[in-house]
Amino acid sequence: MDLGNCRRLVVKLGTRLVAGSHEGVNTELLDDLGRQAARLLARRKQLIIVTSGAVHLGRRVLKRPQRREALAFRQAAASIGQPELMRHYSQAFQAHGVVVAQMLLTMGDIAERERYLHTRETFESLLRHNVVPIVNENDSVSEPSVTFGENDKLAAVIAAKVQADLLVFLLDEAGLYTSNPAEDPSAALIRAIEPTDVDFLKYAAGSGGPESMGGMATKCIAARIAVECGIPVAMIDGREPGALLRRLEGEELGTLFRPARRRSSRKSWLASATAPGGAITVDDGARRALLAPGGRSLLPSGVTGVEGAFAAGVVLAIRDSTGQEIARGLTNFASAEIERVAGAQTHEVAGILGRDTAPEVIHRDNLVLSPLLSTEAPPTGEPDARA
Ligand code: GLU
């Protein structure tokens, strides 16, 4: 897949890469990234960076490098480390003539439509002015119940919201392997994940190490969110000088997640449509069918409940039997109609409603997996770093 034409890029760096084995921050790496940023901007590309590292830097200042700690300590560490992190980015990028801007976001800034629209305008304005927004979660004020927690999903959500052409995860390894290469000598690098590879989460066992919240599992889940919105995802070795440019120029580096479909502005809009006009609850079979990559439409047989009074054509939240939102989509039926067809088989729908109609409650083309849902647990279960 030719990535050379991708214009708007979201690039995510994790703590292990930013800090590297260096004391504090890997300044060589940031210098290399600044150099690449300058080249990209000169080619009229737009770059948004999502970076971790604030908590790690703050912990160092407080001389408490442990991971398991009170949330308040983590939040305090983030507020100490964030300006330090920005200082390093700012210095590294300025050396190459690139201006950076800090964007600290909470989930609320993205989930609430009005706030999100303002946030998006800020991104658009910065990009128009050839500035590179440097994004992190605003950990020091994020409420624990609604935090992204790790930046992988934040990066995917931003890519969807700004309708990026490509999401890149810069890793401290070569890409996604068939198993953990640190433990299994037969682990092989996976070059591409096709939209039909429904099982790719199985490759992503393990957490990201003591410094970071994410791991390959959270990256794979994030990749799936982006792919669902039609955005290709490249996972490449960020320690390789010039890796980002080289990948865009066609060098076969790392793992590419190919999207199922072309980027659709409707899907991206759905991903950012944040005030659903009602909700439907689905059974476990429908949940599985919806969450499978390249998954199915929502049929009446899987619907177990309806909330709210709504007309056809509004955005609905789709909840599983535990009440967790798993997707959003445009309904073909009004709430009263869904109540009548809930549980019915596809061939019965037209008869029940007394009119000729497509049987799907929500067609797959009008459905996005909720980018804000915490998705399925990673296969091996990661430790809860906030415990
Ligand atoms: N926002 C956190 C930080 O800057 C990192 C979260 C993560 O590890 O993804 O330290």
Side-chain angles (χ1 to χ4, degrees):
M1 184 175 186
D2 180 14
L3 301 179
N5 293 330
C6 293
R7 177 154 186 266
R8 183 169 283 191
L9 318 173
V10 173
V11 175
K12 192 263 167 181
L13 290 82
T15 299
R16 276 200 293 177
L17 191 62
V18 174
S21 55
H22 298 238
E23 298 288 291
V25 159
N26 186 343
T27 46
E28 270 167 48
L29 181 122
L30 292 192
D31 177 64
D32 181 52
L33 192 61
R35 181 178 306 113
Q36 294 182 77
R39 297 270 293 279
L40 290 170
L41 296 185
R43 294 177 196 174
R44 310 200 69 72
K45 298 199 187 286
Q46 299 178 327
L47 178 63
I48 295 174
I49 288 178
V50 178
T51 185
S52 306
V55 174
H56 169 76
L57 288 176
R59 279 184 191 134
R60 286 175 49 82
V61 173
L62 295 173
K63 301 201 177 1
R64 281 261 306 269
Q66 310 90 331
R67 187 177 182 195
R68 296 202 173 267
E69 61 212 1
L71 178 67
F73 180 87
R74 184 181 148 79
Q75 294 190 300
S79 68
I80 295 167
Q82 180 62 31
E84 187 65 4
L85 183 64
M86 275 314 292
R87 184 173 65 78
H88 283 287
Y89 270 97
S90 193
Q91 273 174 2
F93 280 52
Q94 250 168 33
H96 300 282
V98 177
V99 178
V100 297
Q102 172 178 262
M103 291 286 279
L104 290 180
L105 301 177
T106 62
M107 199 188 269
D109 296 325
I110 293 193
E112 286 168 33
R113 186 153 176 79
E114 281 302 305
R115 273 159 78 184
Y116 163 63
L117 289 175
H118 289 297
T119 308
R120 190 182 63 186
E121 281 313 304
T122 312
F123 273 118
E124 293 294 341
S125 179
L126 290 169
L127 295 174
R128 263 198 308 278
H129 288 89
N130 279 333
V131 174
V132 176
I134 310 275
V135 184
N136 196 357
E137 182 163 12
N138 198 351
D139 294 297
S140 38
V141 301
S142 279
E143 288 172 54
S145 58
V146 287
T147 172
F148 282 97
E150 35 78 18
N151 277 348
D152 297 325
K153 197 167 3 153
L154 176 65
V157 170
I158 287 173
K161 301 282 185 180
V162 303
Q163 298 195 22
D165 301 308
L166 177 67
L167 170 61
V168 180
F169 286 102
L170 294 181
L171 311 177
D172 65 348
E173 54 192 323
L176 181 64
Y177 284 84
T178 48
S179 56
N180 186 346
E183 290 162 10
D184 179 0
S186 69
L189 182 67
I190 302 169
R191 284 289 171 206
I193 296 282
E194 303 299 334
T196 46
D197 290 352
V198 290
D199 249 3
F200 63 79
L201 271 176
K202 72 171 185 253
Y203 302 128
S207 74
E211 312 84 356
S212 48
M213 300 291 282
M216 285 314 273
T218 59
K219 283 176 190 58
C220 282
I221 291 170
R224 185 159 131 197
I225 291 169
V227 160
E228 178 70 18
C229 294
I231 302 168
V233 178
M235 292 185 182
I236 55 179
D237 193 338
R239 300 165 306 180
E240 289 258 339
L244 176 59
L245 281 179
R246 285 161 51 197
R247 183 64 191 88
L248 290 176
E249 284 161 3
E251 196 173 323
E252 210 190 322
L253 296 173
T255 307
L256 178 70
F257 289 69
R258 283 188 238 270
R261 44 179 78 79
R262 284 175 64 79
R263 193 187 73 202
S264 128
S265 56
R266 186 166 44 177
K267 289 248 174 192
S268 300
W269 173 76
L270 275 169
S272 59
T274 49
I280 37 187
T281 311
V282 300
D283 63 17
D284 289 346
R287 177 184 188 276
R288 271 196 303 279
L290 292 176
L291 291 182
R296 313 245 168 78
S297 299
L298 177 61
L299 299 173
S301 57
V303 175
T304 55
V306 187
E307 271 170 50
F310 49 82
V314 310
V315 176
L316 298 184
I318 304 174
R319 305 218 176 99
D320 67 13
S321 56
T322 69
Q324 185 177 30
E325 182 178 334
I326 54 172
R328 286 197 184 167
L330 287 173
T331 171
N332 283 334
F333 301 129
S335 51
E337 292 175 318
I338 299 179
E339 276 167 13
R340 286 166 60 201
V341 299
Q345 295 304 307
T346 304
H347 65 270
E348 299 169 331
V349 173
I352 294 172
L353 295 180
R355 65 182 168 91
D356 191 19
T357 172
E360 299 91 8
V361 178
I362 297 180
H363 192 275
R364 189 68 192 185
D365 289 349
N366 294 328
L367 182 146
V368 284
L369 298 181
S370 172
L372 300 180
L373 88 157
S374 39
T375 355
E376 295 149 299
T380 52
E382 293 194 311
D384 180 5
R386 278 164 297 180

